[in-house]
Amino acid sequence: MSRGLLLVISGPSGAGKGTVCEAYKKHCQNHVWNSVSMTTREPRAGEVHGESYFFVSKEEFLKRIEEDAFLEYAEVYGNYYGTPRREVEEKLAEGFDVILEIDIQGALNVQDNTSEGIFIFILPPSMNELKKRIIGRGSETPESLLTRFKSAYNEINYVSKYNYAITNHTVEQAYSDLMCIVRAERCRVTRVTNEILTLKEEEL
Amino acid sequence: MSRGLLLVISGPSGAGKGTVCEAYKKHCQNHVWNSVSMTTREPRAGEVHGESYFFVSKEEFLKRIEEDAFLEYAEVYGNYYGTPRREVEEKLAEGFDVILEIDIQGALNVQDNTSEGIFIFILPPSMNELKKRIIGRGSETPESLLTRFKSAYNEINYVSKYNYAITNHTVEQAYSDLMCIVRAERCRVTRVTNEILTLKEEEL
């Protein structure tokens, strides 16, 4: 079994990152593992420990930071969020592709903390379409809408830190692009070294 | 129209490079251009000038070398073979993907002569399968068979100089891998810069 791929996926809110990742996980559930983050914030109604997040105390989280147990972590409004390193490492070694659906700061931290990782940015087809999608959710006030737009604009500046950018015109097309990126990355010469060695060792 | 991709494809004889490229060109004929080499050797029966090769005199070829008109060229048993640079450049600028189906030495020369190029190596599923395929052609003597094997073994050492390796289990799978590599390469952040700038300039 060859090592899995670490897929780090970001994109501004409204670009459709979550939907694309869901479609991908659904179609590839046998060999994809979705990383579950750890947090110190309180569980909300309906959230399940180990599925939505691993909910831990602040003391527990700080202890793990000391132990270098996170691939990345951040403090947001007094709460900590992080990606446990060991689980990711284990799943990759077992041959699972691991999806980290994280924000840009998290992705940049992953880049600093590991030499592997395929960094994929999901873009909206246009800023107008992004606007429509956010308004369509119906959960925004005019102020929070403006904040989201400004933030989306700023986030797009970071696309250059990623390897790939997928423009999400439709879920099907964006999902197919993602599938192709994974398939192409599996063909990378650096990843097929074992196959090539086996070929060379074959007796004729 | 965004710039086309320069696809440089090599692989040992018997790996199925030609068949995979043919399948690809057939399915993508509207946006793929197959580079035609130039040579000083005599045309064989059935070969068409401008399709099989551009047949030119040695004087003409040497003049073009002086003019730096080749992306790569080589002398093999007294005959010259080369890839005209201008046609490749024009087709890429027009948005066509250009396929160069060339040997390893040619591919390495292309690497020296241009900063673009996606280098893809086609591998046989096993050396035994390679043997079967070459014998299946029925055109080899035991001596030339041995020469081909030795050469295939040596060629496989160069795979590390390429970006991707496709193992040709079946034409359909190898062709799909190639399609995915092209699709993934189109999503490379370095290639979608214009799209991102357009997005950022959009008025809301």
Side-chain angles (χ1 to χ4, degrees), chain A residues 91-106:
Chain A
K91 290 294 170 180
L92 289 174
E94 287 169 22
F96 286 89
D97 294 335
V98 173
I99 293 191
L100 302 188
E101 196 188 318
I102 53 180
D103 66 11
I104 291 165
Q105 193 52 57

Side-chain angles (χ1 to χ4, degrees), chain B residues 152-166:
Chain B
Y153 258 89
N154 290 333
E155 283 175 23
I156 289 170
N157 289 328
Y158 285 90
V159 69
S160 63
K161 302 281 187 186
Y162 287 70
N163 303 118
Y164 297 97
I166 295 176

